[in-house]
Amino acid sequence: MVGRICRHGDIGSHCSVWIARLGQRCVRWYSSLSNLQAFPVRRLKIDGSFVSGIGENQDNEKIVEAVVGLGHSLGLTVIAEGVETEEQVAFLKARKCDEIQGYLVSKPLSAEEFEVFLKDREKAGKN
């Protein structure tokens, strides 16, 4: 099912694998490192539970750093979710994380709100 969805593009042009607590239900399937080989993955998403520990928990920082390295070594785009502080952004930038998402950037938006958000960012000169 997941492979068919990924190929069909129903969940966007790229598939993402969420690295969460291994063995626990994550989004629509169980997160596992074997998914990196089983599906046409182009992006690797770091779960916000790890990102939230940046600056507070060295183990979380080590996990984030390792996942960024793993993703890049496989030629994947790495995304950190749940980014809420500038300290987290600085940590992720220093480790060359490709993208961030979280309340620091924006709250979840409807399609219409997202269009307005993008237009406002363009007007302000932000990319």
Side-chain angles (χ1 to χ4, degrees), residues 3-21:
R4 189 171 67 234
I5 291 171
C6 291
R7 282 191 302 276
H8 189 267
D10 290 345
I11 58 173
S13 60
H14 304 291
C15 278
S16 294
V17 173
W18 287 262
I19 297 297
R21 293 171 206 94

Side-chain angles (χ1 to χ4, degrees), residues 15-120:
C15 278
S16 294
V17 173
W18 287 262
I19 297 297
R21 293 171 206 94
L22 295 178
Q24 292 186 5
R25 183 121 175 100
C26 182
V27 185
R28 293 180 189 229
W29 65 88
Y30 286 86
S31 179
S32 169
L33 293 176
S34 65
N35 287 334
L36 294 173
Q37 293 179 315
F39 301 110
V41 176
R42 294 186 184 163
R43 306 174 119 195
L44 186 65
K45 184 177 279 190
I46 303 170
D47 189 82
S49 65
F50 297 119
V51 174
S52 67
I54 292 173
E56 300 172 10
N57 182 311
Q58 284 188 331
D59 288 342
N60 281 26
E61 291 176 357
K62 289 174 186 175
I63 290 169
V64 169
E65 192 166 355
V67 173
V68 171
L70 172 67
H72 288 162
S73 72
L74 294 171
L76 305 175
T77 299
V78 181
I79 306 162
E81 74 173 6
V83 177
E84 297 181 354
T85 69
E86 293 294 338
E87 180 181 15
Q88 292 166 344
V89 171
F91 180 92
L92 293 162
K93 278 185 178 180
R95 277 127 191 107
K96 310 242 186 287
C97 184
D98 301 300
E99 299 176 13
I100 63 168
Q101 61 180 195
Y103 280 93
L104 186 66
V105 177
S106 174
K107 66 180 176 110
L109 303 171
S110 68
E112 295 80 20
E113 292 171 318
F114 184 66
E115 284 185 40
V116 171
F117 173 80
L118 287 179
K119 287 178 184 174
D120 289 346

